[in-house]
Amino acid sequence: MIKVNVHTDHRGLENNLPLERISDTLSGDDSLLWVDVADPTPEDLRLIGAEFAFHPLAMEDALRRHQRPKIDHYDGFLFMVFYGLATDDGRPVAREIDLFVGKNYLVTVHDGTLPAVPETADRWCENVERQGNRGIGLLVYSLLDSIVDGYFPVVDDLADRIEDLEAGVFAEGGSSRDEQAAIFALKKDLLAIRRVLGPERDVMNVLVRRDAPVFGGEEVVYFQDVYDHILRVTDAIDTYRDLLSSALDAHLSMTSYHLNEVVKRLTSSSIILMSMTLIAGIYGMNFAHMPELDWRLGYVWALGLMVAVGAALVALFRRIDWL
Amino acid sequence: MIKVNVHTDHRGLENNLPLERISDTLSGDDSLLWVDVADPTPEDLRLIGAEFAFHPLAMEDALRRHQRPKIDHYDGFLFMVFYGLATDDGRPVAREIDLFVGKNYLVTVHDGTLPAVPETADRWCENVERQGNRGIGLLVYSLLDSIVDGYFPVVDDLADRIEDLEAGVFAEGGSSRDEQAAIFALKKDLLAIRRVLGPERDVMNVLVRRDAPVFGGEEVVYFQDVYDHILRVTDAIDTYRDLLSSALDAHLSMTSYHLNEVVKRLTSSSIILMSMTLIAGIYGMNFAHMPELDWRLGYVWALGLMVAVGAALVALFRRIDWL
Amino acid sequence: MIKVNVHTDHRGLENNLPLERISDTLSGDDSLLWVDVADPTPEDLRLIGAEFAFHPLAMEDALRRHQRPKIDHYDGFLFMVFYGLATDDGRPVAREIDLFVGKNYLVTVHDGTLPAVPETADRWCENVERQGNRGIGLLVYSLLDSIVDGYFPVVDDLADRIEDLEAGVFAEGGSSRDEQAAIFALKKDLLAIRRVLGPERDVMNVLVRRDAPVFGGEEVVYFQDVYDHILRVTDAIDTYRDLLSSALDAHLSMTSYHLNEVVKRLTSSSIILMSMTLIAGIYGMNFAHMPELDWRLGYVWALGLMVAVGAALVALFRRIDWL
Amino acid sequence: MIKVNVHTDHRGLENNLPLERISDTLSGDDSLLWVDVADPTPEDLRLIGAEFAFHPLAMEDALRRHQRPKIDHYDGFLFMVFYGLATDDGRPVAREIDLFVGKNYLVTVHDGTLPAVPETADRWCENVERQGNRGIGLLVYSLLDSIVDGYFPVVDDLADRIEDLEAGVFAEGGSSRDEQAAIFALKKDLLAIRRVLGPERDVMNVLVRRDAPVFGGEEVVYFQDVYDHILRVTDAIDTYRDLLSSALDAHLSMTSYHLNEVVKRLTSSSIILMSMTLIAGIYGMNFAHMPELDWRLGYVWALGLMVAVGAALVALFRRIDWL
Amino acid sequence: MIKVNVHTDHRGLENNLPLERISDTLSGDDSLLWVDVADPTPEDLRLIGAEFAFHPLAMEDALRRHQRPKIDHYDGFLFMVFYGLATDDGRPVAREIDLFVGKNYLVTVHDGTLPAVPETADRWCENVERQGNRGIGLLVYSLLDSIVDGYFPVVDDLADRIEDLEAGVFAEGGSSRDEQAAIFALKKDLLAIRRVLGPERDVMNVLVRRDAPVFGGEEVVYFQDVYDHILRVTDAIDTYRDLLSSALDAHLSMTSYHLNEVVKRLTSSSIILMSMTLIAGIYGMNFAHMPELDWRLGYVWALGLMVAVGAALVALFRRIDWL
């Protein structure tokens, strides 16, 4: 589905322009055009590519998807790959969005819905009507800003999961298979996010450092802002990774601690039982002359002896904390 | 709460100036202004922002907080984010302070009380009265210096906790859940501090390397001093991390060592008991012809045999260090 | 086996040219020559080297093989070492290809068949007939692109193996020797691929950054594309390494978890048996006065007692999750 | 204690000059002055600072101590912090020395005795009498060189301790608490030395790279020498860290290996005892019809059976290496 | 032992020139001199140093040895430290060689025999007679090339040892002390080699990057070749380190796997024995009324019961893979 929004100084904002009228508009110096292509068919992309005269390599990247976040400088336009993060069924998923950025146009290509796109579109339309066209740089900024702002709830979600995990490790005890699986899943999610964030930081670095030909120098401060937010998310992810590995260490240590406890308790118990069995064994011997056997209270004596030995051992093991 | 201190060469120091008179003062070339905003309401910030004509992005950062330490170059002013460290309930907490630094003013924004702020204010007021206005650079320096000096007691506190832990690992023995939790908590605290220190080092690097337009070249040596202190704290934190991971290794190793000891002791004991039980079992057999059974001292012989075997095994296990 | 393809503007494409005619063609400014040498004999290489006047160091590298991916700048030509990846018997293997790149010729040397070579050759022949000679840069690009595209199925294969492993770790349980061996084999394969990819990234970096004398500036965007693909594969490999080490951690943790389970179950069982044996032992004592022995239902009582104690312990151990 | 040595071309070397005459001497172009301040009182430092007009920040650093190794460029002098290493009670300790380096003077401040200081002083006095004043650069070099040469015996000491540890891990066996504590202590010592060496390398880098205004270009080769020695020590420390972590791995592995051995041996033994007890139990049953019980040699048969079963199990366990 | 080889354009090659004639030769512009000093006495070095007027710092390094690989730029000559690798008693050893490289001379200093030295000397003498003097750069190159070529057999040897280790870990089973010691020894050897290779790479980097004054620009391609070989060895060593740590992980994992197996088997066995003992215990009770005791086939019944219970447990444990 292709959606075209155009703003020209003399005609103001026009939404849902037909595709054919794009080339007229592009030539106008005072216009700013945003074409959003959701779930594109190859035919859609071919049309767009022809209209804007995009380089075949950029078209191929937009068609195939699953690119790394990057910024490629082509003659007359920039091609950027970025990812939005969303939480799906409790786990973060990354959704690709490709940006073609020209002097007076922005073309975005993505699968499915990316909340940042309609949000930015609404805000932009509103602003452009109120304040007029403030340039392609600010449009790209507000889109990226909106995408990156969407990272924070996902990251907070991860923080909550780590906290739950932490509580679980120290609270109850015992090494459950679920806990281990949760750690593994978290690690995988962190890796997936890190894989997107690292290259995005590099992309923003390019926008902040070099004076890219398409954006004015005064817009650097805006991209710096997005860059700072990405750094913040990256920092958080790195901290979570470290925390997670600490949690794993703690988990392993607690597992071995519990094993110790169980072994100590069970083996102590078996020694107590063995001692009592030894007494029973002794009085089960068939010697002709065993004075206790003929005692009136021999049986009680034997049972008492067992209880006494058992109790003494229980006390001993309790004292040295083995039971 | 907003507190305004102004120093002008002709009128000297004036404390608690009303906000409205700021703009007059700002235009004067000989004045130096410090506005401290504690626990700001959005309205407070709006007022300040309007008075000083701050960029909306910087205002947003100051309003939202939880930024990464950073330094942003805006037209006419610098925006810096720094963190003070305090110890709360035995654990370090980081408190954000935002600085707007202009040619002749400093605006600080923070939540709650940051001891470094009143300290610096007092010292500055005193100095400014005695020596006159020595420039915005030195004011910013003394504030940062005071903040960073506040890191050392926090770090010493961590050093003490690590030392306690170390003592605990080797002293008593046994793997307590508390020790493990203490290691984890320490690791978390170190991570939290590291997360603040890393970017602060980058910020100071900017102040030391580039001749920032707001500060004169002769002030670099002062910022170098703050930078050195941050490096010192960073070094300490890194060393503590390494020590902590060594302590964790030692802890795990001691746990497995104690498990070994327990297993050796208990299993040795059970073998001794089993041997004695075997003897009792033998003399409990019902064979018609068992000469010992009819001995006068058969029973004593059997008990003696048990004791002898038990003692021999105890001696053996002692010698090979299993008991 | 040596295969020579030449394209000249006036004569068009000629395949399987005899070697001797190479030098004539090379002098022509409008020609583009591709010589592919598969499984070269030393004699083949000597011939080629003489014909093109290659530097002896480059010839030695091509002869010996097992070089690191690299790009060497010689007078008049570039020498590049690259690796293709293929899956052989479920494990990835790297196949070396050496490229001599001159102003108007490409010489490729490799052992065995590398699918990328005939693929590129076919496509090139087709293109060159349709669109004419588009320069050595694009020919090198299409060869490298084809090689790097061949990495993706190999990497996907690794991803599948890791997923299988993951499923195995959490699904069944128990620590099989096979699982451990699979982890080790995967790690080895990842290392082998990483060893090729790292230097290849450096090679591409050279082609992208510096304006190499042989390729025009407008071809940088193509090499950038190959570079991005290599980065993508490198990212994937790094992620797999991290995942693998997580899987190893999970595996070790599950192993120790299963040990715990087994130890708890078996030791609990032995305690139950010991308790019952103790009762049997007690009623096996030979005291003259043991009232139960003369009860009519003494035997049933004893058996009942054993069952009761056993059942109570089973219930207890079940409740504390030890059985 | 303050010691002043001066060399002037016309008066030669004068030792133990009174402090008051320093300023006269400083103005002379042909003089070279070394003031060594051991265990300074704040008053001492105030005097020195006033005499040489040092920057207050440098004075503060010299007063407080516990700085990181660093080099600060002040107007007219350099301030350097370096550390000497000594072995105290078998463990390395770092002793700070602060250097103020001017055009024709060196002021050194340190606590206690640093062997490098009197050594360098003696050598310098001797050289200066023989060869005349060869400049401040060579004086600083010989002091640093002497300090760094003092690192090697300390590092050799560490090497010996690691070798002892290694021998211990594989030789005897068993996991002693002492070994673990020794590993931990070594790790701590390595960290402490590393913490000093890292920044010192950076300091030397400054002296080697930039043509510092106080030292001539021909002295760079001397500082390069000191730099190389520091690199050598750093390399050694890094290698020891890796070796230590290998030793720790080996230690843990040997511990678990010994646990295996003990468990196998003890459990095998208990199975043998249980088998023999079972036989005794069988012949202790009270069946009316048990032919063996009435055999003449029944008792011997039973004992023989026990011995046979025991011996068979011993042989079996020996063969599968469990005993 | 000092060996002097000189080549002059007009007199050709002269071997074993007396030391005294060196200075004459050095002044000649067309001469190339190689002085090889094996196992030098301090007197030898003093002579050489005086003859060539070497800087005292370089002389000291050559005298003391055990330097880090490095390249020092002195006035009029370069001083290089390199290491040859040899295999001694199955373990790699590094042998130092120091190079003084002037405009028309090379002085090499080393202990014992380094196979690369006579090899290069022979080849050089041969070449110089055939092709005349081709400059000091190519002489240094062929020496370094020969040294670095000597690394490959040493590295292959390590590869073999790692492969043996790998086979050992998965093949047999059980955690032998030897295996652990072999891993540790390998790690130590890798560290020792890495410690030499890292700085050598930096040295080569200097020769490749900067146009050192002594070597012409056209020789860079030769040093690049040596550089590539060092990179290849470094890559291999890094890969081996990773493989080794994987092997260690596998080793530890297999150890704990075997412990699991042993524990499961032994404890299962003990439970079977206990069950049988319980039955024996039951029929050893002394109740007046126990019907089975009077059965004709009571004894057989009891033995049968034991066998049945034992067999049932064996079957059960086999099914859940515990035996």
Side-chain angles (χ1 to χ4, degrees), chain A:
Chain A
M1 208 191 55
I2 305 180
K3 245 179 149 175
V4 181
N5 300 315
V6 179
H7 177 269
T8 41
D9 282 356
H10 55 284
R11 280 211 312 265
L13 185 72
E14 295 170 286
N15 292 335
N16 300 316
L17 212 74
L19 251 189
E20 303 81 43
R21 285 198 31 216
I22 288 181
S23 29
D24 312 352
T25 324
L26 272 177
S27 55
D29 231 34
D30 62 340
S31 63
L32 186 57
L33 183 77
W34 180 0
V35 182
D36 181 53
V37 192
D39 300 307
T41 60
E43 176 59 18
D44 285 349
L45 283 178
R46 211 192 46 72
L47 266 175
I48 295 283
E51 204 68 41
F52 287 91
F54 290 144
H55 195 284
L57 279 175
M59 290 314 298
E60 205 187 296
D61 282 349
L63 191 63
R64 282 212 208 152
R65 307 300 173 82
H66 302 299
Q67 299 297 317
R68 238 176 142 250
K70 63 172 178 178
I71 181 162
D72 285 347
H73 296 264
Y74 287 97
D75 235 26
F77 70 102
L78 290 173
F79 176 67
M80 289 170 65
V81 178
F82 239 72
Y83 278 84
L85 289 181
T87 307
D88 184 23
D89 203 8
R91 308 220 18 199
V93 286
R95 293 228 183 84
E96 187 176 348
I97 177 165
D98 298 338
L99 286 77
F100 296 82
V101 185
K103 223 167 267 185
N104 60 348
Y105 63 84
L106 168 68
V107 178
T108 48
V109 180
H110 55 93
D111 282 328
T113 46
L114 225 84
V117 173
E119 263 174 51
T120 311
D122 290 352
R123 213 159 354 115
W124 178 66
C125 290
E126 207 181 302
N127 282 339
V128 105
E129 293 214 311
R130 244 194 4 236
Q131 310 172 355
N133 171 2
R134 295 178 61 209
I136 182 70
L138 277 183
L139 173 55
V140 172
Y141 154 72
S142 28
L143 181 58
L144 296 184
D145 190 46
S146 178
I147 289 172
V148 172
D149 274 352
Y151 293 176
F152 290 102
V154 176
V155 167
D156 289 346
D157 208 69
L158 288 172
D160 290 347
R161 280 166 65 193
I162 288 178
E163 218 148 277
D164 287 357
L165 202 76
E166 240 182 274
V169 166
F170 291 109
E172 151 221 24
S175 59
S176 76
R177 176 183 306 227
D178 297 344
E179 220 159 74
Q180 182 58 40
I183 289 177
F184 188 79
L186 253 168
K187 221 165 185 176
K188 223 172 148 178
D189 290 344
L190 286 176
L191 276 175
I193 296 182
R194 196 71 177 73
R195 203 175 162 183
V196 164
L197 283 176
E200 284 191 352
R201 202 179 43 188
D202 298 342
V203 169
M204 290 316 299
N205 216 6
V206 167
L207 291 183
V208 169
R209 288 257 177 96
R210 291 195 234 156
D211 296 72
V214 275
F215 306 131
E218 70 269 28
E219 270 129 4
V220 164
V221 74
Y222 287 94
F223 289 112
Q224 178 71 47
D225 193 59
V226 179
Y227 182 57
D228 286 341
H229 287 172
I230 289 184
L231 281 189
R232 190 135 68 91
V233 178
T234 312
D235 275 13
I237 295 292
D238 287 347
T239 307
Y240 295 161
R241 276 178 84 167
D242 280 359
L243 271 185
L244 199 60
S245 84
S246 296
L248 181 67
D249 284 346
H251 173 78
L252 286 176
S253 172
M254 290 317 281
T255 304
S256 100
Y257 166 74
H258 288 295
L259 179 59
N260 270 17
E261 290 305 293
V262 169
V263 164
K264 283 197 301 195
R265 252 173 237 181
L266 285 176
T267 331
S268 300
S269 308
S270 78
I271 285 195
I272 293 170
L273 286 171
M274 278 171 152
S275 309
M276 295 163 83
T277 304
L278 175 60
I279 295 171
I282 287 171
Y283 291 117
M285 293 192 296
N286 296 322
F287 286 99
H289 305 281
M290 285 178 71
E292 296 98 325
L293 295 185
D294 298 320
W295 291 357
R296 254 227 86 84
L297 295 174
Y299 180 36
V300 177
W301 151 257
L303 290 182
L305 194 61
M306 285 181 205
V307 170
V309 164
L313 284 173
V314 166
L316 171 69
F317 290 145
R318 280 265 155 82
R319 228 188 30 168
I320 57 175
D321 201 35
W322 283 7
L323 205 70

Side-chain angles (χ1 to χ4, degrees), chain B residues 291-311:
Chain B
E292 296 97 324
L293 294 186
D294 299 320
W295 290 356
R296 253 226 86 84
L297 294 175
Y299 180 37
V300 177
W301 151 259
L303 290 181
L305 194 61
M306 285 180 203
V307 170
V309 164

Side-chain angles (χ1 to χ4, degrees), chain B residues 48-60:
Chain B
I48 295 282
E51 205 68 41
F52 287 92
F54 289 144
H55 195 283
L57 279 175
M59 289 314 298
E60 205 187 296

Side-chain angles (χ1 to χ4, degrees), chain C residues 115-134:
Chain C
V117 173
E119 263 174 50
T120 311
D122 290 353
R123 214 162 350 118
W124 177 65
C125 290
E126 208 180 300
N127 282 338
V128 106
E129 293 213 312
R130 243 189 11 231
Q131 309 174 355
N133 172 1
R134 296 178 61 209

Side-chain angles (χ1 to χ4, degrees), chain E residues 149-168:
Chain E
D149 275 353
Y151 293 176
F152 290 103
V154 176
V155 167
D156 290 347
D157 207 69
L158 288 171
D160 290 348
R161 280 165 64 193
I162 289 177
E163 218 148 276
D164 286 357
L165 202 77
E166 240 182 273

Side-chain angles (χ1 to χ4, degrees), chain E residues 203-254:
Chain E
V203 168
M204 290 317 299
N205 216 6
V206 167
L207 291 182
V208 168
R209 289 256 178 95
R210 291 194 234 157
D211 296 73
V214 275
F215 305 130
E218 70 270 28
E219 270 129 5
V220 163
V221 75
Y222 287 94
F223 290 111
Q224 179 72 46
D225 193 60
V226 180
Y227 181 58
D228 286 341
H229 288 171
I230 289 185
L231 281 188
R232 189 136 68 90
V233 178
T234 312
D235 275 14
I237 296 293
D238 287 347
T239 307
Y240 295 162
R241 276 178 84 168
D242 280 359
L243 271 184
L244 200 59
S245 83
S246 296
L248 181 67
D249 284 347
H251 173 78
L252 286 176
S253 172
M254 291 316 282

